[in-house]
């Protein structure tokens, strides 16, 4: 289920330089601290919900609700930098500390030392660079989680992966029309 609303906690301003990852992290931090914004997100026990926000400097931003046991699966955000922060509950991020080739492959064998795991409780988040491969999970069996995400440039595509042991396989490529 998705809900879309033109909402933002920061005023729109004209700027010539694109936002940095640190500025995106600052935006998601301020947004996550807005109790009215967080309370405005409808939560569904069956699936993730989201509301699109007006991000800084032309970025794309989302408020996302995560029911217990939900997750994204392995994916990246292509050429976009980004940031996300947990506004309620706890999220787990599994990521790869390696730069993958951006195109021209279907299957990669990963080395043993590339896995990173991070637990993000309320108020904790992170920024990331281009082609960051990760999955985000709400491992709680009883509690929803809520997070705020921002990307610049607006997501041109998301590549989805499957993972079996050390083997990462490109499964699909989504474009904005697939999730708008």
């Amino acid at each position: 289920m998705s809900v879309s609303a033109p909402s933002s906690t920061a005023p729109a301003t004209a700027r010539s330089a694109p936002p940095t990852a640190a500025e995106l992290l600052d935006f998601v931090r301020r947004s996550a601290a807005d109790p009215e914004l967080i309370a405005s997100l409808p939560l569904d026990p069956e699936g993730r919900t989201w509301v699109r926000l007006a991000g800084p400097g032309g970025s794309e931003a989302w408020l996302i609700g995560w029911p217990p046991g939900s997750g994204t699966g392995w994916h990246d955000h292509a050429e976009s930098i980004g940031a996300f922060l947990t506004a309620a509950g706890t999220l787990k991020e599994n990521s790869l500390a390696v730069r993958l080739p951006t195109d021209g492959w279907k299957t990669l064998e990963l080395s043993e030392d590339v896995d990173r795991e991070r637990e993000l409780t309320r108020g904790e988040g992170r920024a990331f660079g281009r082609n960051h491969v990760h999955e985000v999970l709400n491992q709680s069996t009883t509690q929803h989680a809520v997070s705020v995400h921002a990307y610049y440039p607006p997501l041109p595509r998301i590549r989805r992966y499957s993972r079996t042991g050390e083997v990462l396989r490109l499964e699909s490529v989504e474009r904005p029309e697939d999730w708008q």
Side-chain angles (χ1 to χ4, degrees), residues 72-77 132-136 158-161:
T72 61
W74 288 95
H75 68 283
D76 71 17
H77 307 102
H132 174 69
V133 177
H134 69 165
E135 69 175 345
V136 180
I158 293 178
R159 291 179 289 236
R160 298 226 174 252
Y161 306 98

Side-chain angles (χ1 to χ4, degrees), residues 84-157:
F84 74 100
L85 189 126
T86 303
T90 299
L91 292 172
K92 178 182 177 187
E93 180 197 33
N94 295 317
S95 63
L96 300 179
V98 63
R99 190 174 226 9
L100 300 178
T102 56
D103 290 306
W105 65 276
K106 293 285 185 187
T107 303
L108 289 176
E109 187 166 341
L110 303 169
S111 57
E112 294 178 15
D113 59 350
V114 299
D115 288 298
R116 300 296 180 265
E117 184 177 299
R118 182 178 275 139
E119 184 176 274
L120 301 166
T121 59
R122 183 176 182 261
E124 295 180 317
R126 69 171 312 226
F128 52 85
R130 290 169 170 72
N131 305 302
H132 174 69
V133 177
H134 69 165
E135 69 175 345
V136 180
L137 309 160
N138 178 5
Q139 294 185 307
S140 172
T141 58
T142 59
Q143 299 295 313
H144 263 81
V146 176
S147 58
V148 182
H149 303 245
Y151 311 99
Y152 188 87
L155 296 172
R157 62 186 171 164

